[in-house]
Amino acid sequence: MKKELLFITVIGADKKGIVAKISNLLYDYNVNIEDINQKIMETYFVMTMLVDMKDTTSSIETVRSKLDKIGEQMELKIQLQHEDIFKMMHRV
Amino acid sequence: MAITVDEVYETTSMILYQNLDIRTTTLGINLKDCIDSDFAKFKKKVYDKVYQNAKLLIEEAKKLESKYGIPIVNKRISITPISLIMETHCSNQKYLEMAITLDKAAKDAGIDFIGGFGALVQKGMTNSDKILIESLPDVLSKTQRICSFLNVGSNVSGMNLDAINLLGDMLKKTARKSENAIGCAKFVVLVNAPEDNPFMAGAFHGIGEPDITLNVGISGPGVVRSVVEKNKKCDLTQLSEIIKKIVFKITRAGELIGRELAKNLDIPFGIVDISLASTTAKGDSVARIIEQFGIERIGTHGSTLAVALLMDAVKKGGSMASGNVGGLSGTFIPVSEDEGMIEAVEKGALSLDKLESLTSVCSVGMDMFAIPGSTPEETINAIIADELAIGVINNKTTAVRVIPIPDKKAGESINYGGLLGKVPIMKVNKYSAKDFIKRGGRLPAPITSMRN
């Protein structure tokens, strides 16, 4: 079955436990992490996580709402978006 | 090649901090197949077709919002120009009943605006067209979601002054019948109106269109402003290049959403409209882009050059990004919906005359501006005719959405709140064009050679 790749983007101040909390959540919903990158951009800490949701036991909506909760608790902006939007915008 | 952190951050920050969104997904629906000699049956067929398709649009659009994490702000409907399908039912009462039917279908499905309650009258008016215009003060004041348009000219037909001469009176009646003249905000008069425009108030489903089609309007003045802000020293050529590149990216997002939404709805994908559309949100303003160029306030000398540069770059970037660019694809500089435009009028930087000249270099038209309610109807007709003559002669779409506010003078303002914003009332030239405008008839179609 074809992979269903989405990007999780975390923007905010770096702190302990970001990867741990998100990874736990993804494990709970059977979402596989394909790649993780991070960088300081315009003073923000930015982390991107490429995840495969083809085997998930949940839905994009549920994972997003759980990520939003982690974002609120940790004062971070967390986005979940299908990788096609990045491919369309940044690759000709 | 893998997507980098920088690229992901660029896209997400456009959405999070620069108000990038898909401004509208508009479903064009043909209603010619609903015509019935029994008016009750006719209305039911119209209601059912609009309601069922609108509901599907909303459901599918929500799924894509979630998948791509990009807001799809408006889900709308455009229909076959109404006068066309009302030819055998044309009475004021029936027009109003049809408007109420459409308004209810939109409301029940959760659609905020439905466009196409209008007519194409560039060469002349049928009886149905005339009755439509007569019915508009009631239609626009008694419904919430109905948007109306009139196409009164084109570069191949010339311009119908007899139709324009009905509009000053119609707009003043509409203004008096509706609270704060809000009915006038739902009517636009155009020349060279595109048949696939997804933006209100001028959206309609043209007669050359398929049964149902999906058109998408992207936006992103905030994104363009942000990139201009980061490039303060570059010359005009470089400025054009950076705008082209960023517009390419945002148009690609519109293309992606449009294609997938059309596929999920199992209908043909129509067009992406690349117009920069302001909102009242801070930073989501076309005027602020112009100011970032180095113009102190939009409306001062240099503004026309700045709008020309902006629009040309937007069109070039957008047309590289999609083979389906269409609709209006200009920039909107509505006075009331753009906080930079409102401020420019209030500070005396932007006059009605300069607004008109800005529209000659590719913004769509004079949009959402208010004038004193005491303005004579012939003067309103002359304002409309001036703006539309620019479109007919220069082979482009131009439009006017004017609100004559009863009992208000120039310098005062009214606040609609929400999407429509605050409307400052602009000064109108006190001298009359009555004897010229009342001649009526048709401006002949312009010559296409000797273009100097």
Side-chain angles (χ1 to χ4, degrees), chain B residues 345-407:
Chain B
V345 172
E346 288 176 340
K347 301 273 182 193
L350 179 63
S351 66
L352 212 49
D353 298 336
K354 188 65 179 182
L355 184 64
E356 183 188 295
S357 97
L358 293 178
T359 68
S360 67
V361 290
C362 253
S363 64
V364 176
M366 296 169 74
D367 194 19
M368 284 300 288
F369 65 102
I371 55 174
S374 59
T375 308
E377 62 176 76
E378 296 83 3
T379 301
I380 297 176
N381 297 340
I383 291 170
I384 292 170
D386 273 354
E387 172 62 19
L388 300 187
I390 291 172
V392 169
I393 297 293
N394 294 302
N395 191 15
K396 72 189 286 299
T397 305
T398 50
V400 177
R401 191 157 51 143
V402 55
I403 313 170
I405 312 262
D407 309 318

Side-chain angles (χ1 to χ4, degrees), chain B residues 20-216:
Chain B
L20 174 64
D21 51 44
I22 305 297
R23 184 54 50 84
T24 184
T25 50
T26 304
L27 203 58
I29 304 178
N30 159 44
L31 293 181
K32 295 195 289 285
D33 58 348
C34 298
I35 298 171
D36 198 301
S37 54
D38 180 332
F39 193 59
K41 278 189 194 160
F42 183 12
K43 283 191 297 181
K44 182 167 186 322
K45 285 191 210 169
V46 166
Y47 177 91
D48 290 346
K49 190 166 185 184
V50 169
Y51 173 79
Q52 282 157 11
N53 284 293
K55 203 143 176 56
L56 273 180
L57 170 69
I58 289 178
E59 284 164 15
E60 292 299 328
K62 274 187 187 152
K63 286 182 198 162
L64 290 193
E65 266 184 312
S66 182
K67 181 174 177 184
Y68 293 111
I70 186 165
I72 301 174
V73 182
N74 297 305
K75 294 102 185 166
R76 292 173 170 168
I77 299 290
S78 64
I79 56 165
T80 308
I82 200 77
S83 79
L84 200 69
I85 62 168
M86 290 287 285
E87 287 281 353
T88 56
H89 289 285
C90 52
S91 72
N92 275 304
Q93 181 56 31
K94 282 185 172 175
Y95 263 111
L96 182 59
E97 282 179 35
M98 185 54 87
I100 290 167
T101 303
L102 286 163
D103 201 39
K104 186 171 184 319
K107 186 186 176 193
D108 294 349
I111 294 282
D112 66 344
F113 285 115
I114 180 165
F117 206 88
L120 300 154
V121 296
Q122 55 268 31
K123 280 288 279 295
M125 289 175 282
T126 64
N127 191 36
S128 180
D129 299 332
K130 285 179 195 162
I131 291 171
L132 163 76
I133 297 169
E134 271 176 39
S135 76
L136 286 179
D138 280 332
V139 166
L140 296 171
S141 58
K142 289 179 181 168
T143 60
Q144 272 80 52
R145 293 165 183 79
I146 303 290
C147 289
S148 176
F149 80 98
L150 217 54
N151 187 66
V152 297
S154 76
N155 55 299
V156 291
S157 304
M159 191 163 77
N160 183 349
L161 255 293
D162 294 329
I164 292 175
N165 277 339
L166 300 173
L167 300 183
D169 176 55
M170 183 278 286
L171 285 165
K172 290 181 83 159
K173 281 181 182 154
T174 303
R176 277 193 297 271
K177 283 191 170 191
S178 51
E179 193 184 349
N180 282 331
I182 189 78
C184 298
K186 295 178 284 176
F187 172 81
V188 61
V189 53
L190 309 101
V191 291
N192 293 320
E195 300 202 334
D196 50 13
N197 158 31
F199 284 105
M200 298 297 163
F204 67 95
H205 185 68
I207 52 169
E209 295 286 310
D211 190 46
I212 300 182
T213 186
L214 182 80
N215 300 317
V216 169

Side-chain angles (χ1 to χ4, degrees), chain B residues 252-315:
Chain B
R252 295 277 285 179
E255 167 95 359
L256 172 72
I257 300 287
R259 280 204 182 277
E260 192 161 331
L261 189 51
K263 188 171 156 235
N264 295 350
L265 290 165
D266 198 22
I267 57 168
F269 175 47
I271 57 97
V272 183
D273 188 317
I274 54 174
S275 297
L276 290 180
S278 322
T279 69
T280 44
K282 193 90 183 157
D284 208 19
S285 152
V286 172
R288 298 299 185 209
I289 302 175
I290 302 301
E291 290 172 10
Q292 275 302 329
F293 281 7
I295 302 265
E296 195 176 354
R297 259 183 216 291
I298 194 166
T300 190
H301 310 291
S303 302
T304 310
L305 166 64
V307 171
L309 183 149
L310 173 65
M311 273 328 300
D312 185 60
V314 167
K315 283 171 199 272

